[in-house]
DNA sequence: AAGGCCAACTTGTTCGGACAAGTTGAAGCG
DNA sequence: CGCTTCAACTTGTCCGAACAAGTTGGCCTT
C-alpha cells in the first residue's frame, strides 16, 4: 500500500496527463489541494516535490505552481524540452553547451525573434544525449532580453525549460515549427558521431512566451535513426509527436555469446 | 543566506569528504544529528534527503543510514559506482543492460567468486555513458546468491550500488583489481563506437561485502581517451583514482564559426 | 498611462509531536 | 550452536502551527 503522498503524486500526474491541468496552467494552491485530498499541507508538499523533481511542475516561492510539461501531451513546449521527453520515456537525457556567442542578429534571426536587425542576440550550440547516445544538435538563438538569464545557466543543465521558469517565471508556449531532412555536414557529423552525408531530421522552431513574445528560435538536428516525429491529423489533439526511433528502442544489440 | 537544511546538507557532505564518515560507515541517528545541529528531526530529514538523492547516503526504514560514496575519496566501492563518480564531476551518467544470462560458472569465475565450479551465476553486459558519450563496457558476473536481486533491477538503473543497498542492505567493500590496456575487439568497438584496435583501459575487479564475501567480479573496458586512472603512492590514502580523460574534459570542440 | 505601494495570497522553512513500520541485537530455549 | 522472540532503536509518514519570504493584482497618485 503506497504512502498517501505517493498516491497524491500519482493522482496529480494523472490529472496532468488527462489535461485537467494543461501546460502553462496554474495548479491549485497547496491549501486547496490539502482540503481536496483531506490531508495536511506537508503531505501535499511532499507529493508535489516529486513532480517538481520530474520536471512536470514549476515552483517558485510566493507564486502559484505551474504545469511545465505533461508526460502525454505533445505541446510545442514539450517538444522544446528534450529532457522532459526523455524522462517520460524513462531514459537519461544529457546535454552540454559546446559554444556560446553573443553577436548582432542577422536579418533572418531578427525577423524570427521580432527584433530590430543588428540587435545583439545569443547563439548557443548544444549537443544532447540520450542514454549515452548523442542524438541531437541544437543551435539556438535567444532574444536579447532573455540572453542574460540563459548565460547564467550552467552548461550541463539538464532542463533549460525548468531553469528558465525558476529564474524568470517563464513558461514556454506555442510557436511555429518546420520539419525536414538534411544530410550531416562536417560539423554535425563530428558532433553526433555519424558519417558525413547521414540523414538528419531537422526541426526549426520558434518558442514564445505565453503572451506570444518570441524567446528563442532553434535549429535542431536529430539523428534520424534515434528520433522521429509522428504527425496525426486529428481534431482537438496536437498532431505533432516526437518518438524514439529504431536506433534507440533497443540501443545495443544483444550479443550472440 | 542558505536555509538551515541546506547548510546542514553541506556540512554532511564536508564530513563525508573529510572522512569523518567513510564509505560503509553508519551516520548518527536523526535524533542525534538534530541535537548536534540544534534543529528538529524534520530539518535533518530534509538535509539528508538531498544527499540521498545524490547517492552519497543510503537510507532504509528502521536501519541506521549508511555512507555509500564520497565525492572525494576513491575507495574501491567508489570505483564500482560509475554513476556516483560521474555525479561528483557534475556529469550525467547513463547506462543500459545489453544482455543478461544465467549459466554455470566457469572455473575462473567460480574461483573469483569463491563458489563451486558449475554453480549458476549471472552474467550482465552493460554499456555506460557519460554526457552522451559511451565510455565503458562492463561485463559483470554476479554470485548466485545476489543474482535474483540484480535481476530485479531495471536495465537502465542509474546506480546499481544504491539499488542493492536499498533492496538488500548491501554495502560494497574492498576487492582486488587489475588494470591493463587491451585493444578493442569487434564487439567492444561496436558497443563503444570506436575503431577496432583502439586502445581500451581494462579494469578487472572483485567486489565483496564488508565481511569479505565476493558479490561480483567484473571486466570493465573504458575508452582510453575518456577515463584514466591515476595511481599515487602515498601513505594512508587510497592511491587509486579514476579521472576524466582528454576525450571528455571538453567533450565537444568549440567551433570556429 | 505609468509607477509605487500595500494587502492578500502563496510557497518555503522550521518546529514539536504522535504513530507506523522496519531493523537490529541480545537473550532465552531447544 | 542455531533459531525464535522481543525490546529498543531507527527511519518513514502525517499532522497542525507559526512565521519568513516572495509574488501578484488592485488601488492611488503623479
Amino acid at each position: 500500500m503506497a504512502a498517501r503522498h505517493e498516491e497524491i503524486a500519482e493522482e496529480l500526474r494523472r490529472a496532468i496527463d488527462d489535461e485537467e491541468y494543461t501546460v502553462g496552467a496554474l495548479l491549485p494552491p497547496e491549501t486547496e489541494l490539502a482540503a481536496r485530498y483531506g490531508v495536511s499541507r506537508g503531505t501535499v508538499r511532499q507529493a508535489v516535490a516529486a513532480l517538481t523533481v520530474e520536471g512536470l511542475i514549476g515552483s517558485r516561492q510566493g507564486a502559484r505552481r505551474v504545469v511545465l510539461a505533461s508526460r502525454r501531451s505533445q505541446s510545442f513546449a514539450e517538444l522544446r524540452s528534450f529532457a522532459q521527453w526523455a524522462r517520460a520515456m524513462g531514459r537519461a537525457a544529457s546535454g552540454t553547451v559546446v559554444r556560446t556567442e553573443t553577436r548582432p542578429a542577422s536579418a533572418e534571426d531578427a525577423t524570427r525573434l521580432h527584433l530590430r536587425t543588428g540587435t545583439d542576440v545569443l547563439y548557443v550550440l548544444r549537443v544532447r544525449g540520450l542514454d549515452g547516445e548523442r542524438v541531437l544538435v541544437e543551435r539556438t538563438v535567444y532574444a536579447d532580453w532573455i540572453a542574460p538569464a540563459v548565460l547564467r545557466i550552467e552548461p550541463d543543465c539538464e532542463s533549460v525549460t525548468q531553469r528558465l521558469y525558476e529564474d524568470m517565471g517563464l513558461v514556454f508556449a506555442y510557436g511555429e515549427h518546420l520539419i525536414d531532412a538534411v544530410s550531416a555536414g562536417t560539423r554535425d557529423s563530428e558532433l553526433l558521431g555519424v558519417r558525413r552525408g547521414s540523414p538528419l531530421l531537422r526541426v526549426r522552431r520558434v518558442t514564445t512566451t505565453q503572451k506570444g513574445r518570441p524567446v528563442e528560435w532553434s535549429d535542431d538536428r536529430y539523428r534520424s535513426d534515434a528520433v522521429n516525429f509522428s504527425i496525426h491529423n486529428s481534431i482537438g489533439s496536437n498532431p505533432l509527436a516526437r518518438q524514439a526511433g529504431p536506433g534507440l528502442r533497443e540501443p545495443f544489440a544483444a550479443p550472440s555469446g
Side-chain angles (χ1 to χ4, degrees), chain A:
Chain A
M1 181 53 154
R4 191 82 182 91
H5 68 84
E6 290 172 328
E7 293 176 351
I8 294 170
E10 194 51 39
E11 181 61 29
L12 291 172
R13 289 189 194 98
R14 228 182 335 257
I16 294 176
D17 284 348
D18 296 342
E19 296 197 349
E20 285 183 41
Y21 309 113
T22 53
V23 172
L26 300 176
L27 277 185
E30 285 175 4
T31 45
E32 188 178 318
L33 288 173
R36 185 179 305 179
Y37 292 111
V39 295
S40 75
R41 255 191 81 208
T43 305
V44 166
R45 286 180 60 77
Q46 186 153 5
V48 166
L51 276 73
T52 306
V53 166
E54 289 162 19
L56 299 178
I57 286 178
S59 188
R60 291 159 75 218
Q61 182 175 342
R64 292 268 292 271
R65 286 197 177 86
V66 70
V67 179
L68 294 182
S70 165
R71 296 182 297 184
R72 189 174 301 174
S73 78
Q74 298 288 351
S75 68
F76 190 75
E78 179 67 8
L79 285 180
R80 169 65 183 85
S81 176
F82 177 82
Q84 288 159 334
W85 172 69
R87 262 188 228 119
M89 287 199 305
R91 301 295 191 96
S94 60
T96 190
V97 170
V98 175
R99 177 182 179 80
T100 63
E101 185 183 351
T102 302
R103 64 175 190 266
S106 68
E108 181 195 4
D109 294 343
T111 298
R112 289 181 185 281
L113 295 172
H114 296 185
L115 300 172
R116 295 167 61 191
T117 300
T119 306
D120 271 2
V121 293
L122 177 66
Y123 294 85
V124 180
L125 171 64
R126 291 189 186 91
V127 173
R128 312 299 301 269
L130 203 62
D131 278 352
E133 296 286 312
R134 282 172 285 171
V135 301
L136 168 60
V137 173
E138 280 181 355
R139 291 179 175 85
T140 311
V141 191
Y142 291 96
D144 56 336
W145 59 274
I146 198 68
V150 174
L151 283 170
R152 283 195 290 274
I153 297 172
E154 68 274 21
D156 60 354
C157 176
E158 190 193 353
S159 178
V160 173
T161 301
Q162 249 175 305
R163 183 57 54 82
L164 286 176
Y165 174 73
E166 287 162 4
D167 292 351
M168 303 273 292
L170 193 60
V171 181
F172 288 105
Y174 182 79
E176 66 189 71
H177 57 277
L178 290 169
I179 301 176
D180 61 359
V182 295
S183 63
T186 303
R187 198 72 188 95
D188 290 341
S189 60
E190 282 172 357
L191 292 170
L192 286 174
V194 297
R195 193 181 289 143
R196 280 186 61 189
S198 296
L200 299 180
L201 199 58
R202 177 170 67 173
V203 180
R204 286 175 290 177
R205 54 183 176 76
V206 178
T207 308
T208 70
T209 65
Q210 298 215 304
K211 291 186 170 60
R213 187 182 189 194
V215 177
E216 67 180 30
W217 99 261
S218 195
D219 176 311
D220 302 341
R221 301 184 184 200
Y222 295 83
R223 265 177 41 204
S224 58
D225 63 324
V227 172
N228 66 61
F229 290 80
S230 67
I231 300 181
H232 305 286
N233 286 333
S234 64
I235 293 174
S237 71
N238 189 330
L240 177 68
R242 174 211 273 134
Q243 52 197 35
L248 283 187
R249 286 198 202 283
E250 288 181 356
F252 310 107
S256 59

